[in-house]
Amino acid sequence: MAIPSTVLAAGWIPFVIVLVLVLLFSTVYIKYFMSKYDSTVSSTLSSIVALSVTLFTTALVPDWANDSGTRQSMESSVSIAYYTLYGLISFCLFILLPFVYFFYEEKDEETSNKARCCSAFKFTLVFLILAAVLFLIGAFVPKKSIPKTNSTEWEKVKSLFSDLASNDGEDALSFIISVLSLIGMLALMTYTAYGMSAFPMGLIKGHSSAKKERMSVQSQRSEVRDRISRIKDKYSGRNMSSRNRERVQDLEESERLMERREQHLTSKETSCLQKCLLIFRPFEVVFGVVFFLVTLLIFVSLLLTNIDKAIPGHSLGYKYGYALPHRTLPNPVDMVLVFCQEVFPLDYIMFSALVVYLVFCSISGVRNIGIWFFWLRMYKIRPRRTRPQGILMMCMILMFIMLAVNIIIYELTPQYSTFGSQQYLKCTTESSSDDCVMTRMTLLLTRFFYKMWFFGAAYYWATWAFLGFMLIGFIVAVVKKRKSSIDGEVDEDDFDESDEELIQA
C-alpha cells in the first residue's frame, strides 16, 4: 500500500530538520573547543562525523507510528536507519576514532605519514579484535527463546513485544550496542549527573567580578615577588642551595602564571562586550532557574518510573528486563509529551528540547570535570584550547553517553518512546497492532531485554545509581564557589604566545 505524501511529510520532514541542526551543532561545537594552534583536518572531521552520527540515533526515537498498513514501508526504513547508524557508531568507536587518535600521537617531524598510518593501524587492530569478539559473543551466546503463543509466558509479554523474531546478526549488533550503552551509563553517572546540576547552578551563580579577581591576583603576585626577593637577598653574593633554587624557580613560574592571569583579567575588565553582557545577567539567572526546574522534573520522572517498576506486580521483573507494560504512577515528562501530540509538531519540539538539554548537561559535565584516567587528568576541555587528542576522547565519551541517553529517554518517557508521535490515537500496550505500531527504538530495546535480561536489569539499577549521583552532583554544585571570569582561558601548560594572540583577538 502506497504511503500518503502527508504521512511521509509528517514522518520525515522533522527528522531531516533535526539532521541539519545536528550537523550544524556538531560542527560549531567541535570548532569552538578545538585548539587554534594544534588542530588537524583529520581530527576535526572525524570528531564532527562521530558526534553527528551519535546524535542522529536520538533523532529517530519519536518516529511516527499511526497505521501499520501504511507504515510498514516506513517502519522498515526506520529499522534500517537504526542498524546503519548503530553500525556507524561501532565503526567510529572501534576504528575511526582510535585510528585518528594514534595517528596524531605518532606525529613527528622525522616520521612519515606512511609510518604513522602503520603504527596507528597496529593499535587500532586491538580495537578491531575486541569488536570481533563482542560480535561473536552476541551472535552465539545463549538467549531466551521465543515463547509459544499459547503459553503463560506469552500472555505476559504479548502486549509489550510486537515482534520477538530476529536473526543472529541483529542480536550480535544489539549485544555490542548494549555493552557500549552499559559503559555509557558509567559516563552518564559521572558527567551528565553532575552536569545536570552544574549547568543550571553555573548560570544562577554567574562568574566572579573581573575587577575583584584582578586586584586579588595583583596582591598575590606582589607577595610572591616579595618572597622571591627575600630568598635572593638572603644569598646575596653567595651560591644558593639547590632546595632554595628550586623554590625560587617554582615561585617565578607561579608569578608568570599570575602575570598571564592579570593580563587576561585586565582585558576582560575593559572589554565592551563584557560590559554589555552585564545587562543580560538577570536573564541568565532566569534561565538558570528554569533549567534547574527541568532537572528537577527529569529527576522526579525517573524516580517515579523506577519506583513504579520496583512495586511488585507492576513490572515483569528482572527476568524480563524490568519491562513496564502499564504505567501506574504519574510521569510528568511522559504525560507532557503525550499531551503535546495533539498539536503537531509541538511534541517533536519538546522532545528535541529535552534531548538538547541532556546533551548540554553532558557537555557541561565533561567540561567541568575534564577527561581522567583513574586519578590522572589526561585532558582539559577548554574553548579554543583543547588538544586534538582531547577532542577525540571527548567525542568518544559523548558517544558512550548518548547511547546511554537513548536508554534514559526510554526510562524517562515510556509511553511516548514506545508509540512515538500518535496524532490521532492515544496508544497503549492494549491497543491493536493494526492501529498502533511500536517505535523501532523501543522494539529493539525490549526485544533484546527479553532475550538477555541481564542488560535490562543492569540499566534499571544503573538508573538508580544515576539518580544518586545527581543528588551528589547537586550538593557539589551548590557548595562550589563561583567560576573565575576567565575560566578555562589560562593554564600553566599554555604558551605565552598563544595567550597574547587570544587577548589581541
Side-chain angles (χ1 to χ4, degrees):
M1 184 176 181
I3 304 177
S5 58
T6 54
V7 174
L8 286 173
W12 287 110
I13 288 180
F15 177 66
V16 172
I17 294 174
V18 171
L19 294 189
V20 174
L21 294 177
V22 163
L23 282 172
L24 289 175
F25 170 78
S26 300
T27 303
V28 172
Y29 178 72
I30 296 300
K31 295 291 289 183
Y32 176 69
F33 282 99
M34 180 69 76
S35 172
K36 296 175 61 178
Y37 316 100
D38 195 24
S39 62
T40 61
V41 175
S42 60
S43 59
T44 302
L45 290 179
S46 299
S47 300
I48 293 173
V49 169
L51 187 58
S52 299
V53 167
T54 310
L55 295 176
F56 287 163
T57 59
T58 309
L60 282 169
V61 170
D63 54 337
W64 191 56
N66 182 50
D67 184 346
S68 59
T70 59
R71 281 300 310 271
Q72 184 176 3
S73 176
M74 182 175 287
E75 292 295 334
S76 177
S77 300
V78 173
S79 296
I80 293 173
Y82 264 118
Y83 288 125
T84 302
L85 288 175
Y86 281 135
L88 288 174
I89 287 175
S90 301
F91 169 77
C92 290
L93 285 174
F94 289 109
I95 299 178
L96 179 63
L97 294 182
F99 180 83
V100 177
Y101 180 91
F102 291 115
F103 180 80
Y104 187 86
E105 280 286 298
E106 297 297 319
K107 185 178 180 181
D108 195 304
E109 293 181 358
E110 299 179 357
T111 306
S112 64
N113 287 333
K114 182 178 179 180
R116 292 171 64 191
C117 286
C118 292
S119 180
F121 179 75
K122 287 189 294 185
F123 288 108
T124 307
L125 190 61
V126 177
F127 289 85
L128 282 172
I129 294 173
L130 177 61
V133 170
L134 290 176
F135 189 85
L136 291 174
I137 292 175
F140 297 106
V141 69
K143 308 174 196 59
K144 189 184 295 185
S145 59
I146 301 174
K148 296 181 180 180
T149 54
N150 59 350
S151 64
T152 304
E153 187 174 9
W154 175 253
E155 291 297 323
K156 291 183 179 180
V157 301
K158 67 178 183 179
S159 64
L160 191 64
F161 306 111
S162 61
D163 183 11
L164 289 172
S166 62
N167 56 49
D168 290 338
E170 292 176 352
D171 290 338
L173 181 59
S174 296
F175 181 83
I176 293 176
I177 296 302
S178 295
V179 171
L180 298 179
S181 299
L182 204 55
I183 298 173
M185 289 299 292
L186 298 177
L188 195 80
M189 296 175 201
T190 306
Y191 294 108
T192 310
Y194 177 66
M196 292 187 73
S197 298
F199 179 50
M201 290 304 297
L203 293 175
I204 294 172
K205 289 184 176 181
H207 292 79
S208 301
S209 168
K211 182 178 180 180
K212 291 182 179 179
E213 276 195 80
R214 179 180 57 79
M215 294 175 64
S216 176
V217 170
Q218 285 179 340
S219 177
Q220 293 173 14
R221 186 182 173 194
S222 177
E223 291 178 5
V224 169
R225 283 200 300 262
D226 290 341
R227 292 172 63 185
I228 294 173
S229 298
R230 286 197 299 268
I231 295 175
K232 288 183 176 181
D233 291 342
K234 182 179 178 181
Y235 291 91
S236 178
R238 295 184 294 119
N239 291 329
M240 192 177 298
S241 65
S242 58
R243 180 181 177 182
N244 282 324
R245 190 181 304 113
E246 292 177 0
R247 188 179 179 188
V248 168
Q249 289 176 352
D250 291 340
L251 289 172
E252 288 176 343
E253 180 63 29
S254 178
E255 185 193 0
R256 283 193 291 269
L257 180 62
M258 291 180 184
E259 182 182 3
R260 288 176 15 223
R261 286 181 58 85
E262 188 176 337
Q263 290 176 355
H264 279 258
L265 287 167
T266 302
S267 175
K268 185 77 68 173
E269 186 180 352
T270 57
S271 172
C272 294
L273 177 62
Q274 293 300 316
K275 293 178 179 178
C276 292
L277 289 177
L278 290 175
I279 302 174
F280 298 97
R281 174 61 187 148
F283 297 98
E284 189 179 24
V285 175
V286 171
F287 278 114
V289 172
V290 171
F291 290 150
F292 176 75
L293 293 176
V294 172
T295 293
L296 183 61
L297 189 65
I298 292 173
F299 180 87
V300 171
S301 296
L302 283 175
L303 180 63
L304 289 172
T305 298
N306 265 25
I307 292 176
D308 204 359
K309 291 183 176 183
I311 297 175
H314 286 203
S315 73
L316 298 181
Y318 69 93
K319 290 187 177 180
Y320 299 91
Y322 288 97
L324 189 67
H326 307 284
R327 187 186 70 200
T328 305
L329 298 181
N331 183 321
V333 174
D334 200 22
M335 293 169 64
V336 168
L337 286 174
V338 173
F339 177 77
C340 289
Q341 292 175 135
E342 298 181 3
V343 183
F344 178 80
L346 184 58
D347 61 316
Y348 281 101
I349 296 173
M350 297 293 290
F351 181 83
S352 300
L354 176 63
V355 173
V356 168
Y357 181 69
L358 291 173
V359 170
F360 273 101
C361 288
S362 302
I363 291 170
S364 175
V366 174
R367 183 178 176 185
N368 279 279
I369 297 174
I371 300 174
W372 293 74
F373 182 75
F374 293 104
W375 59 88
L376 300 175
R377 185 193 288 269
M378 295 180 63
Y379 303 104
K380 295 179 181 179
I381 308 301
R382 300 182 299 154
R384 298 183 294 175
R385 300 293 190 87
T386 310
R387 300 180 62 189
Q389 302 101 309
I391 291 291
L392 292 169
M393 288 289 291
M394 179 188 66
C395 285
M396 188 173 290
I397 291 173
L398 287 177
M399 290 187 80
F400 282 121
I401 288 176
M402 291 311 299
L403 287 174
V405 164
N406 287 337
I407 306 295
I408 289 295
I409 287 293
Y410 173 66
E411 298 282 341
L412 186 61
T413 61
Q415 172 75 14
Y416 184 78
S417 297
T418 299
F419 295 104
S421 180
Q422 303 291 333
Q423 299 176 38
Y424 307 110
L425 295 173
K426 288 297 178 287
C427 293
T428 66
T429 53
E430 300 297 331
S431 301
S432 170
S433 58
D434 294 331
D435 298 322
C436 299
V437 181
M438 293 175 65
T439 62
R440 299 305 91 184
M441 180 64 182
T442 300
L443 178 61
L444 293 176
L445 286 176
T446 54
R447 182 167 63 190
F448 192 72
F449 289 172
Y450 172 79
K451 293 185 175 183
M452 296 197 69
W453 61 266
F454 166 79
F455 287 103
Y459 294 141
Y460 169 74
W461 290 109
T463 304
W464 278 114
F466 174 68
L467 293 172
F469 277 97
M470 281 183 67
L471 288 175
I472 297 173
F474 172 74
I475 296 172
V476 173
V478 170
V479 174
K480 194 175 181 181
K481 64 180 182 179
R482 281 183 177 183
K483 287 185 178 181
S484 168
S485 59
I486 54 170
D487 179 58
E489 295 184 17
V490 180
D491 187 78
E492 57 185 3
D493 297 329
D494 294 333
F495 295 102
D496 293 343
E497 293 81 1
S498 65
D499 281 346
E500 292 173 4
E501 288 182 27
L502 280 177
I503 292 175
Q504 292 173 0

